[in-house]
Amino acid sequence: MKNWTQGWLVYGPKKVSGNDKFVEKISVLGFDKESIILQNAINELDNGITGMLSVKPEIVFDEQLTKGLCITKNKEIAAEGYDIEEKEGLVTLSASDENGLLYGMFELLRRISMEKPLTGIKVSEKPSNPFRMYNHWDNMDGSIERGYSGKSFFFENEEVVVNERTKDYCRLIASVGINAVVINNVNVVGPATHLITERYMDKVKKMTDLFAGYGIKLFLSLNFAAAIELGGPNSADPLDSEVINWWEQKIAEVYAKIPNLGGFLVKADSEGRPGPFTYGRTQADGANMLADIIKPYGGIIIWRCFVYNCQQDWRDYKTDRARAAYDNFIQMDGDYHDNVILQIKNGPMDFQVREPISPLLGGLKKTNQMLEVQVAQEYTGHQIDVCYLIPMFKEILSFKTYCAEENDTIADVISGRTLGNKNTGFAAVVNTGNDKNWTGNDLAGANFYGFGRLAYNTNLTAEKIAEEWIRQALSNDVEVVEKVLKILMESRTTYEKYTTPLGIGWMVTPHVHYGPSVDGYEYSRWGTYHRADHLGMGVDRTDKGTGYAQQYYEPNASMYNNMETCPEELLLFFHHVPYTYTLKSGKTLIQHIYDTHFEGVEEVETMIASWATLKDKVDEEIFAVVTERFNRQLLNAREWRDQVNTYFYRKSGIADEKGRKIY
Ligand code: GCW
């Protein structure tokens, strides 16, 4: 018995809806029979159909059918895309490559699982983004940085683990179109530095090959100072010829063993990690050095832009962490070689529940870019609290940067539409671990599922993605679909209401990042302040403050700079605002804080009541896990409400108009 679930790939009996007649006989035409991806796809189809429709399909090759399902190679279809069409009893799935075939096959299974008829199906899909990537922050001792679902299933006791679960993981992520994965933490320390040495290479190769069978490229996070730690020259200076020679040899060794490795992800000069700055070199010097060496092997260097001063003085009102990514990377726009991708966090700070979009995204006009979001709920409730993140990711993607005349949204930038480049994409720090259900809270499975679907097709709505997940992972029952959909769709707004108001962020328990601590980071070195006093709160990031707002193109720069035009959900991110300031709702700032915090808790209570009615309609174990998490969420929400309200009541001395209990 596996001690893990199948996530949304649950192949139990389904309402047949006439689908059985299409899958009794399946023919594959034009694809290489020996291909592992093809074999994996066929196995999956076979298992899925047998489990869901109680039909054991007959599978043949290169025979044109008149009824049933034909899987055909068609060079006209876009890379990794697929077409599916039903005509007179014949379903044709066409793709030009094996990834496309695999994704199309999963689309068929998804339809069957959702009890949607294949009759009349006509879809044409191609991926919105070239790279669709999961980043794991797994450590080799088995712990996971910011992991909330148990331990790593990639590493245990400083060993690489490749087993049945690794395969199920591949199936899950391939089913939503993920084509690249980084398995180890970006903070590369201790044994992780040795992943590129003999000690681990056999295992890494085994994993790379397993991934390849599902169309997934494996990447590793790299220690920029590996040369020093692995007995090479005592330097990591990217312009030092000894260092360059060392890397040339190292990368040759790695690719001799693992020719299908995707490349490396690098966190340099960030939060104590070494990097080119130590040697007076630029980020481009560092990234290009590695990129040039890896290029002959077809490898990619993904270089993170999370570079900021984490030794700030809270008394200093001029230094602004929000400015850092832009300030550190914008001057070298155009200097990065074409197999370098800059990976940029969605916001200028760090994965808060509400932040503006990083001005570096699209700010760069000549550089490959990858958007990084966090599906792991570091600041959004640790997968104890429900927080469906796809609506937030949709907002990010649709943001208009004004970096070009047209095709200037974030979605355009990361798809390669803006610049006509191909090394671009969408990455997420993922939320999985070895918990039975993969994600701690089963409802967090919607984020694990949803990111992949969204990265593959940016045009899908958050509702559609949620509904797909609910139907496959929980139930097709209408009441379950409706109620869970409502819970998921409202969850981020609710979380935002009971935590930090109007884009100010933080106020979390330091280091842990769960639960309130209004002043937790206020007098710290991390550059994360709310600047509240007895009259008001918020950070002045206008031209009179830190100047951060000026990093955007017009008209965004002016919009944010002006308190009247600044979107209110970001008001405190950009402005220091009096508690008595009247918002568009007619409420004062302080009253808004009180109201949203009371509402947030009430909304959690409503969600819990709604979930409770589904007891007999969802799997018993899932019901119990989610219920238990909801109970903890309620305690958390109350704590946030009471601490935040009390704090600002004591600072401002202004009473709640409605006279509710504040301590
Ligand atoms: O938000 C911070 C996290 C760190 C993380 C870092 C990063 C992996 O608290 O745990 O380190 O971001 O993104 O590099």
Side-chain angles (χ1 to χ4, degrees):
M1 256 297 265
K2 293 179 175 178
N3 63 346
W4 63 91
T5 69
Q6 296 296 297
W8 52 89
L9 298 178
V10 189
Y11 298 145
K14 299 285 168 182
K15 229 192 285 141
V16 176
S17 316
N19 287 335
D20 51 346
K21 62 175 185 286
F22 295 110
V23 292
E24 281 158 7
K25 188 160 183 183
I26 300 173
S27 179
V28 183
L29 298 99
F31 282 98
D32 173 11
K33 271 186 224 171
E34 302 305 312
S35 143
I36 310 284
I37 299 184
L38 176 70
Q39 287 171 10
N40 283 336
I42 288 179
N43 273 339
E44 191 76 31
L45 201 54
D46 192 0
N47 289 338
I49 289 169
T50 312
M52 293 192 284
L53 301 177
S54 306
V55 174
K56 180 78 190 155
E58 181 196 350
I59 300 187
V60 297
F61 288 88
D62 297 319
E63 186 185 321
Q64 182 58 54
L65 309 178
T66 51
K67 297 257 181 278
L69 170 61
C70 274
I71 299 176
T72 315
K73 187 151 188 162
N74 176 351
K75 293 211 174 65
E76 307 290 297
I77 312 272
E80 299 188 88
Y82 58 89
D83 282 7
I84 306 176
E85 187 171 6
E86 186 272 335
K87 256 193 206 153
E88 295 167 14
L90 177 71
V91 175
T92 308
L93 158 59
S94 3
S96 62
D97 55 27
E98 291 162 339
N99 278 31
L101 174 155
L102 185 68
Y103 301 149
M105 189 278 306
F106 274 117
E107 163 103 43
L108 288 173
L109 288 174
R110 184 156 57 236
R111 295 254 167 165
I112 295 170
S113 177
M114 291 166 66
E115 300 182 338
K116 306 261 183 202
L118 296 176
T119 306
I121 183 176
K122 191 168 167 32
V123 293
S124 185
E125 293 282 345
K126 62 170 195 233
S128 306
N129 300 294
F131 283 98
R132 308 172 297 278
M133 185 174 224
Y134 269 140
N135 291 181
H136 289 261
W137 286 354
D138 291 24
N139 299 315
M140 297 207 58
D141 63 0
S143 63
I144 301 179
E145 183 151 347
R146 312 305 176 188
Y148 311 106
S149 321
K151 296 233 169 197
S152 172
F153 47 80
F154 292 130
F155 307 110
E156 211 176 84
N157 300 323
E158 306 195 349
E159 273 308 329
V160 178
V161 180
V162 190
N163 59 22
E164 266 298 289
R165 189 165 190 160
T166 327
K167 189 168 175 178
D168 280 346
Y169 169 77
C170 290
R171 294 172 50 236
L172 284 168
I173 65 170
S175 80
V176 290
I178 296 287
N179 66 355
V181 170
V182 184
I183 54 172
N184 64 311
N185 190 354
V186 288
N187 292 323
V188 185
V189 290
T193 304
H194 295 251
L195 279 169
I196 50 170
T197 66
E198 278 302 317
R199 181 170 162 198
Y200 292 114
M201 258 196 272
D202 284 335
K203 278 289 184 57
V204 174
K205 177 180 168 41
K206 204 171 159 196
M207 179 127 42
T208 309
D209 289 343
L210 178 63
F211 278 31
Y214 287 90
I216 303 158
K217 283 264 185 203
L218 187 139
F219 285 70
L220 294 172
S221 294
L222 203 65
N223 180 345
F224 192 74
I228 303 175
E229 286 183 42
L230 298 179
N234 193 24
S235 166
D237 180 350
L239 301 188
D240 177 333
S241 59
E242 273 188 62
V243 174
I244 298 172
N245 287 342
W246 186 86
W247 276 114
E248 278 169 353
Q249 274 187 26
K250 177 46 71 190
I251 286 177
E253 240 173 74
V254 172
Y255 272 88
K257 187 100 194 187
I258 319 173
N260 49 353
L261 187 75
F264 299 110
L265 172 65
V266 189
K267 170 177 180 176
D269 289 308
S270 170
E271 300 185 331
R273 303 314 303 142
F277 282 168
T278 317
Y279 303 91
R281 311 301 185 191
T282 66
Q283 297 295 302
D285 290 334
N288 291 339
M289 182 271 288
L290 291 170
D292 292 350
I293 297 173
I294 209 173
K295 189 163 178 155
Y297 309 98
I300 300 279
I301 295 298
I302 304 173
W303 193 267
R304 293 179 88 228
C305 297
F306 190 54
V307 179
Y308 69 99
N309 171 10
C310 65
Q311 300 289 346
Q312 225 183 289
D313 184 341
W314 59 268
R315 298 165 191 85
D316 167 8
Y317 274 62
K318 267 290 163 201
T319 308
D320 182 3
R321 173 168 165 180
R323 296 187 56 114
Y326 187 93
D327 284 344
N328 282 314
F329 285 89
I330 201 74
Q331 296 95 332
M332 289 162 289
D333 188 15
D335 293 348
Y336 296 89
H337 296 174
D338 68 355
N339 61 329
V340 174
I341 307 179
L342 294 189
Q343 183 165 305
I344 306 167
K345 286 192 183 187
N346 63 273
M349 297 296 277
D350 195 7
F351 301 136
Q352 302 302 292
V353 69
R354 176 78 63 180
E355 281 188 50
I357 312 304
S358 168
L360 188 59
L361 283 160
L364 294 161
K365 288 184 170 181
K366 290 176 266 177
T367 301
N368 298 327
Q369 294 160 66
M370 176 118 91
L371 166 64
E372 176 181 329
V373 296
Q374 198 182 39
V375 162
Q377 289 175 239
E378 175 178 0
Y379 294 98
T380 51
H382 284 202
Q383 289 140 240
I384 298 167
D385 302 27
V386 184
C387 193
Y388 178 54
L389 294 162
I390 307 302
M392 170 167 35
F393 301 162
K394 290 288 290 182
E395 284 170 17
I396 295 163
L397 291 167
S398 65
F399 180 73
K400 207 169 156 49
T401 66
Y402 297 97
C403 67
E405 289 279 311
E406 48 186 38
N407 291 333
D408 67 338
T409 65
I410 299 293
D412 293 324
V413 171
I414 66 166
S415 66
R417 276 191 296 276
T418 312
L419 297 176
N421 49 348
K422 65 175 191 339
N423 285 334
T424 59
F426 195 2
V429 179
V430 68
N431 60 355
T432 53
N434 71 357
D435 275 0
K436 187 170 175 189
N437 64 7
W438 301 85
T439 53
N441 190 333
D442 290 88
L443 296 184
N447 290 325
F448 180 31
Y449 175 86
F451 171 78
R453 292 286 288 140
L454 185 65
Y456 187 86
N457 181 354
T458 312
N459 292 325
L460 291 176
T461 64
E463 288 87 345
K464 163 109 169 67
I465 292 171
E467 180 183 338
E468 284 181 3
W469 177 80
I470 298 165
R471 284 176 170 275
Q472 294 171 84
L474 298 181
S475 170
N476 280 305
D477 179 279
V478 186
E479 191 187 346
V480 174
V481 174
E482 275 175 11
K483 287 184 172 169
V484 179
L485 187 63
K486 189 161 156 51
I487 289 173
L488 290 176
M489 288 306 296
E490 291 173 2
S491 58
R492 185 252 186 148
T493 310
T494 298
Y495 186 83
E496 184 178 19
K497 280 186 179 177
Y498 64 76
T499 57
T500 63
L502 304 180
I504 192 69
W506 308 96
M507 302 192 186
V508 282
T509 309
H511 314 302
V512 178
H513 301 167
Y514 186 79
S517 177
V518 179
D519 279 340
Y521 276 119
E522 194 57 18
Y523 305 102
S524 76
R525 63 182 172 90
W526 293 98
T528 49
Y529 314 116
H530 55 64
R531 307 286 192 207
D533 57 25
H534 68 296
L535 295 173
M537 68 182 300
V539 182
D540 184 353
R541 293 191 161 103
T542 67
D543 52 351
K544 304 198 176 52
T546 71
Y548 164 79
Q550 266 53 57
Q551 292 184 335
Y552 292 88
Y553 295 119
E554 287 296 357
N556 288 338
S558 301
M559 172 185 72
Y560 289 132
N561 204 60
N562 178 343
M563 224 197 304
E564 298 303 317
T565 54
C566 179
E568 258 178 8
E569 68 272 11
L570 289 169
L571 193 62
L572 300 176
F573 191 94
F574 284 98
H575 299 274
H576 187 85
V577 182
Y579 296 120
T580 52
Y581 178 80
T582 308
L583 300 172
K584 303 207 165 63
S585 60
K587 290 178 186 178
T588 59
L589 170 62
I590 190 76
Q591 193 57 40
H592 172 88
I593 293 175
Y594 296 149
D595 286 354
T596 48
H597 283 78
F598 283 110
E599 279 163 30
V601 175
E602 284 158 20
E603 287 169 15
V604 176
E605 286 163 347
T606 307
M607 284 181 194
I608 295 177
S610 169
W611 177 255
T613 64
L614 303 178
K615 186 167 194 317
D616 301 321
K617 297 202 160 191
V618 297
D619 175 85
E620 216 178 305
E621 215 170 316
I622 296 179
F623 183 81
V625 169
V626 173
T627 303
E628 188 272 341
R629 303 247 159 179
F630 263 138
N631 293 338
R632 282 196 271 162
Q633 176 172 5
L634 183 58
L635 294 178
N636 186 41
R638 286 187 182 142
E639 204 56 36
W640 270 98
R641 174 195 66 194
D642 292 338
Q643 287 201 30
V644 170
N645 283 346
T646 301
Y647 181 96
F648 288 102
Y649 170 63
R650 290 180 185 175
K651 275 256 145 123
S652 69
I654 302 172
D656 171 32
E657 279 170 4
K658 298 185 184 148
R660 288 162 294 193
K661 182 77 185 164
I662 293 177
Y663 297 83

